[in-house]
């Protein structure tokens, strides 16, 4: 995967222009709420994936990257909004540059354009879960089991697996319906054949007895055995000349239809009533109807998804995956509707089977009526067969059933008014025909029998094929479910183990025996955690909000480890640790350091103290942290320790914006005083609320620096290094002069404690103040590396005053002069 | 490193081959479908399962 080297962000979200050197290290960004920290996270996420989770997740209706990604003043000029990231690809050992504009999020400029680079970045872009916000934590912890399952499956890219399972299930349902239809066709053709042969069963002996009787009459050889190739009319000299009409067979067909017709008015009446009742429920419950309509609609839509554009409303999504997740979530919400849909379709299928049977009875009579030259009956039958054929199609969909509601309650079969009379007339016509000679009767009997046997065999063949297909689908579905369950159980066991371990690391003082249990079941993922060994409970039951936050991060880390393994090298944690209480913060840092030594976390927090604790715990350093002290719409985040602070202040003054310059100076002095108090070990009066003002910090810092320089001068002298002593003395003098200059401005400085008064000054009033503090702070900075001085060791008696580049390294330890005491020789 | 989806697909096909209810030609078609198309549709599976066993004459 990746590590982030640098970021250049311009006109994105709340940021105007910002460069950050992430150094491929764990990095922290702190600052008060609204100072622009999350804007940095958004920009990095956008640079890497082309998406901004904050604008595309739930509850973000009406928001989009295109419209709300640019700085508010650049909405009409999205081309000006872009992010340029220098990214290190760990597996390729390559550094690449990604430049992505808000106006063309899917077309980043990548250099170099190597195939392996493009593939690696495509993989990153496919993993928006590298960014975790506190809002995301709730997705894992405080949600119902079905939603948690969905969320975790999404983050682990398991939704594809669930979808394959679901598709295999749909497949077997579809093949089951095909088999039912094929079996109905077999029944229908069997009935037609048995009716013709006048036999009660379709046993080989019964068939041959009926057939051989006619064959004997015609002098044809007896058929001894029924095989798959047996032709019942084999041996007839010229089948073409034999009339198709067989009076007795025709009368049997007419009789069979006439008998069945008596039951037509009540045919499948129970199923029809049940469908009508369910349709009535839908009419009475508009929300259920809406859910069902959405279900069918969305189901269709999901099936048609092919790209990031919604096939239902043409909305352009971030990518196809987001669109699919959105539609799948909507489908799950209409579970009751789904059950109702299944019941409706099952009943519809039962009526369809009856239609197949009726059609089987109508077909020979239809043919007969045409052969007999009836005028209207063939047309009537033709229309009726077409009508119930269409009915069969409608019974296969909920939309179709809804159209049929009235028909289902008033005689769904739609028996034509003239049917009975026409059937009777045709029967009388056939009965009135002279009896056929025994020879003709036998010949037509055999040819009709062969035709119907052929139909029956074909129906059987199709039914058997449908059965094989269904059995294959069932075997596949079962195998997939078993394998999927086994793999998911193993996965959740891994995740559960890692999660428990991580949580124990954070809470080793009070929950060292902590365990958790993830229990997957059909579409659900139950999550229970041990509460002080009193049993397993849902996370929200007894644990505090801070503990729940900790759990969310731990579960996220466990999931990411399972997803990426050793390739988990990068994550954005946006204010996710805010509720971790002070007692557990060092442990949290320990978790990130020890369990994820090669992962670059970019962490934001609005708690300044938290950021300092990360430094103390050596999770980050001064170079791998950044603090914002505020935000302004014109400037974006105001960066503490900003090397360009004086230029910024001068620019503000040049524009006559004294209040902006004053605020920048105020925050910079606050930051520097706090930082130097810590780095130099100044003695500051303790405040329990940690709310130190400039007046609390700056005087002790000045006093401490003078003391340290004095100590350094004394040490140099003790070692006989007069040159160094003089140089230090010069520094001390410069500091005194600067302090003196500052004192000249004391009337302003005093008011500096009540900062807002600065805003009332004019430019000429304020410029000397700025110059005085600039000169003063220069005494604390190494001229070579421009970093602040610090003492070593950080705690205890100081031994040296240094800067990071070691250009300044003043020894504070004076030479110890000892007087040797000679002991008497023994 | 194979994804979980790929791992499950592989084990699924092996299990299917072992159960003896699905012929080798169908399993091969399933392998191609699952590897080429992450979002296989029901009609794709129906087509494979409804194909008569064996292969066409060459």
């Amino acid at each position: 995967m990746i590590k982030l080297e640098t970021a250049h962000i311009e006109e994105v979200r709340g940021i105007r222009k910002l460069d950050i050197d992430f150094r491929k290290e764990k990095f922290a960004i702190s600052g008060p709420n609204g100072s622009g920290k999350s804007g940095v996270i958004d920009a990095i996420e956008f640079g890497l994936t082309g998406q901004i989770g904050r604008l595309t997740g739930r509850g973000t209706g009406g928001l989009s990257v295109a419209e709300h990604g640019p700085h508010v003043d650049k909405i009409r000029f999205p081309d000006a909004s872009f992010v340029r990231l220098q990214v290190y690809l760990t597996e390729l050992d390559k550094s690449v540059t990604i430049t992505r504009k808000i106006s063309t999020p899917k077309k980043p400029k990548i250099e170099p354009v190597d195939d392996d680079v493009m593939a690696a970045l495509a993989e990153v872009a496919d993993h928006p879960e590298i960014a975790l916000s506190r809002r995301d934590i709730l997705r894992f912890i405080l949600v119902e089991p079905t939603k948690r399952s969905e969320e975790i499956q999404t983050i682990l890219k398991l939704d594809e697996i669930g979808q394959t399972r679901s598709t295999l299930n749909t497949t077997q349902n579809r093949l089951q319906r095909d088999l039912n239809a094929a079996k109905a066709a077999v029944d229908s053709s069997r009935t037609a054949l048995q009716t013709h042969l006048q036999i009660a069963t379709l046993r080989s002996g019964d068939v041959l007895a009926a057939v051989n009787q006619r064959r004997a009459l015609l002098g044809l050889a007896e058929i001894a055995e029924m095989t798959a190739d047996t032709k019942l009319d084999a041996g007839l000299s010229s089948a073409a000349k034999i009339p198709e009409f067989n009076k007795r067979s025709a009368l049997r067909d007419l009789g069979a239809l006439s008998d069945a017709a008596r039951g037509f008015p009540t045919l499948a009446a129970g199923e029809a009533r049940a469908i009508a009742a369910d349709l009535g429920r839908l009419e009475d419950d508009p929300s259920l109807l809406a859910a069902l309509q959405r279900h069918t609609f969305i189901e269709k839509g999901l099936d048609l998804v092919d790209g990031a554009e919604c096939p239902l409303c043409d909305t352009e999504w971030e990518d196809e995956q987001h669109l699919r997740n959105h539609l799948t979530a909507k489908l799950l919400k209409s579970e009751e509707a789904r059950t109702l849909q299944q019941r409706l379709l099952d009943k519809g299928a039962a009526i369809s089977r009856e239609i197949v049977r009726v059609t089987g009875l109508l077909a020979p009579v239809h043919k007969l009526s045409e052969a007999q030259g009836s005028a209207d009956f063939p047309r009537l039958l033709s229309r009726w067969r077409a009508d119930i054929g269409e009915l069969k199609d409608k019974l296969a969909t909920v939309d179709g059933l809804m159209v049929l509601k009235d028909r289902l309650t008033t005689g769904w079969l739609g028996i034509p008014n003239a049917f009975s009379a026409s059937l009777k007339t045709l029967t009388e016509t056939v009965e009135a025909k002279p009896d056929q000679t025994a020879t003709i009767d036998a010949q037509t009997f055999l040819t009709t029998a062969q035709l119907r046997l052929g139909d029956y065999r074909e129906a059987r063949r199709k039914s058997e094929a449908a059965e094989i297909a269904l059995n294959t689908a069932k075997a596949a579905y079962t195998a997939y479910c078993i394998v999927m369950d086994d793999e998911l159980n193993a996965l959740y066991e891994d995740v559960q183990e890692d999660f428990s371990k991580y949580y124990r690391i954070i809470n080793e003082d009070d929950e060292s025996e902590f365990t958790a249990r993830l229990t997957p079941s059909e579409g659900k993922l139950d999550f229970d955690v041990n509460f002080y060994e009193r049993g397993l409970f849902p996370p929200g039951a007894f644990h505090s909000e801070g503990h729940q936050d900790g759990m969310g991060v731990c579960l996220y880390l466990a999931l990411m480890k399972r997803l990426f393994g050793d390739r988990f090298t990068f994550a954005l944690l946006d204010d996710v640790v805010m509720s971790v209480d002070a007692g557990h913060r060092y442990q949290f840092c320990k978790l990130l350091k020890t369990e994820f030594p090669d992962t670059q976390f970019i962490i934001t927090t609005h708690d300044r103290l938290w950021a300092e604790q990360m430094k103390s715990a050596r999770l980050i350093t001064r170079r791998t942290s950044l603090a914002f002290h505020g935000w302004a719409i014109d400037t974006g985040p105001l960066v503490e320790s900003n090397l360009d602070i004086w230029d910024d202040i001068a620019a503000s003054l040049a524009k006559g914006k004294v209040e902006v310059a004053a605020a920048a100076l105020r925050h910079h002095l606050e930051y520097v005083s706090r930082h130097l108090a810590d780095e130099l070990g100044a003695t500051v009066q303790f405040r329990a609320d940690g709310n130190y003002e400039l007046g609390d910090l700056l005087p002790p810092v000045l006093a401490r620096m003078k003391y340290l320089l004095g100590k350094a001068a004394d040490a140099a002298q003790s070692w006989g290094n007069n040159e160094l002593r003089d140089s230090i003395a010069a520094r001390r003098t410069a500091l005194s002069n600067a302090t003196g200059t500052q004192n000249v401005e004391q009337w302003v400085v005093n008011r500096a404690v009540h900062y807002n008064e600065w805003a009332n000054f004019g430019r000429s009033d304020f410029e000397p103040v700025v110059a005085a503090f600039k000169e003063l702070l220069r005494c604390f900075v190494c001229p070579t590396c421009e970093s602040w001085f610090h003492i070593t060791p950080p705690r205890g008696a100081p031994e040296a005053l240094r800067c990071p580049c070691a250009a300044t390294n003043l020894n504070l330890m004076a030479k110890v002069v000892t007087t040797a005491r000679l002991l008497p020789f023994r | 490193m194979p994804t979980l989806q790929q791992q499950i697909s592989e084990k699924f096909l092996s299990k299917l081959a072992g159960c003896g209810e699905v012929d080798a030609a169908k399993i091969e078609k399933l392998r191609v479908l699952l590897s080429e198309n992450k979002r296989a549709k029901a009609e794709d599976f129906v087509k494979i399962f409804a194909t008569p066993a064996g292969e066409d004459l060459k």
Side-chain angles (χ1 to χ4, degrees):
Chain A
M1 291 290 276
I2 62 161
K3 289 197 177 181
L4 189 56
E5 296 181 322
T6 62
H8 172 83
I9 306 163
E10 205 162 317
E11 305 292 3
V12 174
R13 302 289 283 155
I15 298 168
R16 301 309 307 246
K17 194 172 183 180
L18 183 66
D19 286 281
I20 305 177
D21 185 0
F22 289 99
R23 299 165 177 267
K24 297 191 280 185
E25 301 283 348
K26 291 179 174 67
F27 200 96
I29 301 171
S30 62
N33 286 331
S35 59
K37 307 179 298 296
S38 296
V40 175
I41 298 295
D42 290 346
I44 296 171
E45 186 188 0
F46 174 74
L48 292 173
T49 68
Q51 301 171 30
I52 297 178
R54 199 186 312 280
L55 299 180
T56 55
R58 269 192 295 279
T60 57
L63 299 181
S64 69
V65 173
E67 290 183 43
H68 307 101
H71 185 274
V72 67
D73 289 344
K74 294 291 177 184
I75 287 174
R76 293 187 178 182
F77 313 99
D79 254 6
S81 305
F82 69 95
V83 177
R84 183 179 299 121
L85 303 177
Q86 185 80 25
V87 173
Y88 176 69
L89 301 175
T90 54
E91 283 142 66
L92 304 179
D93 191 23
K94 284 184 180 176
S95 281
V96 301
T97 305
I98 309 169
T99 306
R100 199 184 296 261
K101 288 184 176 181
I102 294 280
S103 56
T104 52
K106 291 180 182 172
K107 295 176 182 169
K109 185 179 172 192
I110 294 169
E111 296 172 71
V113 194
D114 298 343
D115 287 347
D116 53 357
V117 166
M118 301 305 279
L121 292 179
E123 189 190 1
V124 174
D126 198 30
H127 286 284
E129 65 276 10
I130 53 173
L132 179 75
S133 69
R134 185 161 189 276
R135 191 176 47 173
D136 296 326
I137 287 177
L138 301 178
R139 290 164 37 185
F140 304 133
I141 303 299
L142 300 176
V143 290
E144 64 270 32
T146 48
K147 187 59 71 184
R148 179 182 298 116
S149 171
E150 196 183 311
E151 296 291 357
I152 288 182
Q153 291 200 5
T154 300
I155 199 172
L156 289 176
K157 306 281 176 197
L158 301 182
D159 49 335
E160 286 171 11
I161 298 165
Q163 184 160 347
T164 302
R165 182 188 67 82
S166 169
T167 306
L168 282 168
N169 192 30
T170 305
T171 303
Q172 70 172 357
N173 288 339
R174 198 171 290 183
L175 288 171
Q176 179 69 63
R177 285 199 289 274
D178 289 352
L179 176 60
N180 291 343
K183 281 183 171 173
V186 170
D187 288 346
S188 175
S189 60
R190 179 198 283 118
T191 303
L193 181 57
Q194 282 180 238
T195 303
H196 176 70
L197 295 176
Q198 290 184 278
I199 52 178
T201 72
L202 213 54
R203 302 280 181 273
S204 172
D206 292 344
V207 173
L208 290 180
V211 168
N212 283 332
Q213 184 190 338
R214 274 72 180 185
R215 291 183 67 85
L217 194 72
L218 296 169
L220 297 172
E222 181 183 288
I223 299 172
E225 188 186 2
M226 281 291 288
T227 67
D229 302 323
T230 299
K231 288 199 175 297
L232 302 178
D233 58 354
L236 283 179
S237 57
S238 176
K241 292 179 183 172
I242 299 167
E244 289 184 4
F245 176 70
N246 179 291
K247 181 181 175 184
R248 286 198 286 179
S249 181
L251 286 172
R252 282 193 290 276
D253 289 337
L254 289 164
L257 178 58
S258 184
D259 289 346
R262 280 194 284 277
F264 282 175
T266 56
L267 197 62
E271 284 81 358
R273 272 197 303 274
I275 291 173
D278 277 339
L279 293 175
R281 262 189 71 207
L282 286 175
E283 285 176 355
D284 294 342
D285 184 351
S287 67
L288 189 60
L289 178 61
L292 185 62
Q293 285 170 333
R294 268 202 304 272
H295 190 87
T296 312
F297 184 62
I298 294 166
E299 204 169 46
K300 276 181 193 163
L302 196 56
D303 214 33
L304 292 170
V305 168
D306 185 21
E309 190 176 85
C310 178
L312 305 175
C313 64
D314 293 340
T315 300
E316 183 75 24
W317 284 71
E318 293 298 318
D319 57 26
E320 184 178 332
Q321 183 63 44
H322 273 75
L323 172 57
R324 283 188 179 280
N325 291 346
H326 176 74
L327 293 176
T328 305
K330 277 188 175 295
L331 271 184
L332 283 173
K333 281 180 192 165
S334 54
E335 192 54 34
E336 186 186 351
R338 196 195 65 77
T339 308
L340 185 68
Q341 181 188 37
Q342 193 56 49
R343 198 164 61 224
L344 285 167
L345 293 179
D346 286 347
K347 301 286 185 220
I351 297 177
S352 282
R353 285 195 292 278
E354 292 300 337
I355 290 176
V356 172
R357 195 172 70 80
V358 172
T359 307
L361 290 166
L362 292 176
V365 173
H366 188 188
K367 197 172 172 186
L368 178 66
S369 69
E370 286 174 332
Q372 293 305 312
S374 302
D376 298 329
F377 200 32
R379 197 159 49 242
L380 178 149
L381 289 174
S382 180
R383 283 182 189 154
W384 191 20
R385 288 177 70 188
D387 175 53
I388 56 178
E390 283 177 19
L391 183 65
K392 195 158 152 267
D393 293 340
K394 289 188 178 124
L395 289 165
T397 66
V398 175
D399 286 345
L401 285 169
M402 292 178 84
V403 173
L404 294 177
K405 182 171 178 266
D406 289 342
R407 180 167 177 172
L408 289 167
T409 52
T410 55
W412 61 267
L413 194 52
I415 307 164
N417 290 333
F419 169 69
S420 294
S422 300
L423 181 62
K424 190 179 173 198
T425 304
L426 179 61
T427 305
E428 288 168 356
T429 304
V430 173
E431 280 172 343
K433 283 188 175 292
D435 289 341
Q436 291 172 313
T437 64
T439 301
I440 294 294
D441 177 68
Q443 285 174 335
T444 54
F445 181 90
L446 289 179
T447 52
T448 303
Q450 179 56 37
L451 280 173
R452 293 191 182 187
L453 176 64
D455 290 345
Y456 171 68
R457 281 175 167 159
E458 178 61 13
R460 282 285 305 266
R461 193 194 62 71
K462 286 182 177 169
S463 177
E464 281 164 13
E467 190 149 18
I468 290 169
L470 175 62
N471 287 339
T472 309
K474 281 182 176 173
Y477 177 70
T478 305
Y480 197 86
C481 287
I482 290 171
V483 169
M484 188 181 95
D485 286 348
D486 287 351
E487 289 295 309
L488 288 185
N489 281 331
L491 178 148
Y492 287 131
E493 270 178 33
D494 285 350
V495 170
Q496 162 183 305
E497 202 170 298
D498 286 336
F499 163 76
S500 301
K501 178 182 167 190
Y502 299 159
Y503 188 80
R504 282 196 299 270
I505 291 175
I506 296 180
N507 300 279
E508 67 182 6
D509 56 335
D510 57 350
E511 289 193 86
S512 58
E513 302 297 320
F514 177 86
T515 55
R517 190 177 61 196
L518 281 163
T519 318
S521 56
E522 184 67 29
K524 287 168 53 181
L525 184 60
D526 287 310
F527 182 40
D528 294 302
V529 293
N530 198 322
F531 185 72
Y532 290 92
E533 295 157 63
R534 299 297 198 278
L536 291 162
F537 303 95
F542 296 114
H543 280 91
S544 70
E545 194 175 311
H547 285 84
Q548 289 167 27
D549 270 16
M551 284 180 204
V553 179
C554 290
L555 188 53
Y556 170 78
L557 293 173
L559 290 168
M560 294 302 272
K561 184 186 170 193
R562 183 61 184 76
L563 181 62
F564 293 113
D566 293 338
R567 302 172 67 237
F568 178 39
T569 59
F570 183 77
L572 301 163
L573 305 182
D574 188 14
D575 227 358
V576 297
V577 292
M578 73 174 205
S579 295
V580 177
D581 57 88
H584 295 125
R585 289 175 177 176
Y586 279 102
Q587 293 307 114
F588 183 79
C589 293
K590 178 182 165 187
L591 168 69
L592 298 189
K593 276 171 63 182
T594 56
E595 296 296 320
F596 301 93
D598 297 322
T599 305
Q600 181 187 28
F601 292 104
I602 295 178
I603 304 166
T604 67
T605 175
H606 66 257
D607 186 339
R608 181 195 292 269
L609 193 59
W610 221 136
E612 295 300 327
Q613 285 171 317
M614 286 186 227
K615 283 182 203 162
S616 299
R618 302 283 186 265
L619 182 68
I620 55 168
T621 65
R622 195 166 61 80
R623 285 181 173 278
T624 57
S625 59
L626 186 66
F628 296 157
H629 61 70
W631 179 87
I633 196 162
D634 289 329
T635 62
L638 301 168
V639 183
E640 288 180 346
S641 73
N642 180 0
L643 294 176
D644 301 326
I645 185 72
W646 304 113
D647 294 339
D648 293 348
I649 290 171
S652 296
L653 288 176
K655 291 178 188 170
K657 294 187 174 179
V658 177
E659 70 286 359
V660 174
L665 178 60
R666 180 187 85 195
H667 288 297
H668 185 61
L669 291 175
E670 279 177 345
Y671 163 74
V672 172
S673 299
R674 173 183 286 271
H675 180 73
L676 288 174
D678 185 47
E679 294 288 295
L680 301 179
T683 306
V684 178
Q685 188 172 350
F686 175 73
R687 288 182 64 98
D689 60 4
N691 190 15
Y692 294 99
E693 295 184 346
L694 186 58
D696 300 322
L697 299 169
L698 189 55
V701 167
L702 295 175
R704 178 65 167 176
M705 189 60 173
K706 283 177 188 165
Y707 166 78
L708 292 171
L709 289 175
K711 204 166 164 50
D714 290 346
Q717 184 166 351
S718 74
W719 290 97
N721 191 341
N722 294 334
E723 190 182 341
L724 178 61
R725 180 201 61 197
D726 294 342
S727 146
I728 295 169
R731 283 176 191 257
R732 201 158 187 264
T733 304
L735 177 62
S736 295
N737 290 340
T739 308
T741 311
Q742 178 211 258
N743 287 336
V744 172
E745 307 297 341
Q746 193 64 46
W747 66 278
V748 175
V749 176
N750 286 341
R751 292 185 181 191
V753 179
H754 308 288
Y755 312 110
N756 287 338
E757 293 194 24
W758 284 4
N760 299 324
F761 297 147
R763 177 179 170 182
S764 56
D765 298 323
F766 201 69
E767 279 176 339
V769 179
V770 174
F773 279 110
K774 186 176 178 183
E775 190 60 30
L776 178 67
L777 295 188
R778 195 172 300 174
C779 299
F780 294 83
V781 173
C782 167
T784 306
C785 65
E786 296 187 319
S787 298
W788 302 108
F789 293 138
H790 64 275
I791 55 168
T792 59
R795 297 288 178 265
E799 295 173 4
L801 180 68
R802 307 181 58 175
C803 71
C805 75
T808 301
N809 187 3
L810 303 179
N811 175 29
L812 301 177
M813 303 293 286
K815 186 175 182 182
V816 178
V817 179
T818 58
T819 305
R821 190 155 60 96
L822 294 177
L823 295 174
F825 179 74
R826 290 177 189 262
Chain B
M1 191 174 84
T3 64
L4 197 66
Q5 170 91 348
Q6 288 165 337
Q7 286 175 37
I8 288 178
S9 291
E10 269 311 308
K11 290 187 179 178
F12 160 62
L13 295 169
S14 300
K15 192 170 187 68
L16 220 47
C19 78
E21 290 187 51
V22 186
D23 64 86
K26 282 193 179 70
I27 290 174
E28 190 49 39
K29 284 179 183 169
L30 284 172
R31 184 186 308 283
V32 172
L33 177 67
L34 291 171
S35 63
E36 285 182 351
N37 189 350
K38 290 178 181 176
R39 305 270 178 198
K41 294 182 176 173
E43 51 262 36
D44 299 326
F45 285 116
V46 166
K47 199 173 169 186
I48 293 174
F49 297 147
T51 305
E55 293 181 17
D56 289 342
L57 192 65
K58 289 177 182 172

